[in-house]
Amino acid sequence: MPGMWWVVGVVAAVVLATAYLTWIAARVDRLHVRVESAARALDAHLLRRAAAAAVLAEERYAVELYAASRIALDAEVDEREAAENDLTRQLRSSPLDPEEPAAAAVIGASRRLVLARQVHTDLVRDALFLRRRPLVRLFRMSRKHERPRYFDIDDPTLNTRPELSVG
């Protein structure tokens, strides 16, 4: 009977190691699913902001802003960051009054975009950190997931202060 304890110990260690590896693999999968979901949400917010900017540009007859918003709406994946940066620069150069409904829609869309971008960035950072862990690399737990990428754009926060008029 005394020789059976080492068998029980080995079986317990194998069960614990298997449970830990299963937990890590599930965590890798969940985190990558969350990154994909955040990327889709970020894309939706980018489209909403570009559409709101197009409406604002049509109301103001702002040709450059309209062109930037249409380019952002129609951009391919590899051109998306540059198109969104151009749209952000155009929006920053346009005076935005929160009292104007079209401008308020752009301001609101930009604020939601800031949050969506932050969530996406945090999740990508966490996923990349998890992918670098030795056990994840050793057992290739992330092989079925594409490597997550940051979406690198200028901070889309807009200045919404109305111009002060000295009267």
Side-chain angles (χ1 to χ4, degrees), residues 54-99:
V55 169
L56 178 67
E58 285 178 351
E59 286 184 6
R60 292 184 177 179
Y61 301 107
V63 176
E64 290 180 3
L65 179 59
Y66 184 76
S69 62
R70 288 305 310 172
I71 289 170
L73 283 170
D74 299 334
E76 296 295 326
V77 175
D78 55 340
E79 304 166 343
R80 191 76 186 268
E81 291 175 358
E84 292 297 336
N85 285 333
D86 187 41
L87 178 58
T88 300
R89 282 189 287 280
Q90 288 294 327
L91 286 171
R92 282 193 185 134
S93 67
S94 301
L96 297 174
D97 182 14
E99 301 298 321

Side-chain angles (χ1 to χ4, degrees), residues 109-137:
S110 292
R111 287 181 179 156
R112 287 185 295 276
L113 175 60
V114 169
L115 291 173
R117 180 175 171 252
Q118 185 63 47
V119 168
H120 180 263
T121 300
D122 290 346
L123 287 171
V124 168
R125 183 196 60 230
D126 293 345
L128 292 175
F129 177 76
L130 188 59
R131 289 172 73 102
R132 286 191 298 266
R133 292 185 66 177
L135 283 176
V136 173
R137 288 189 357 232

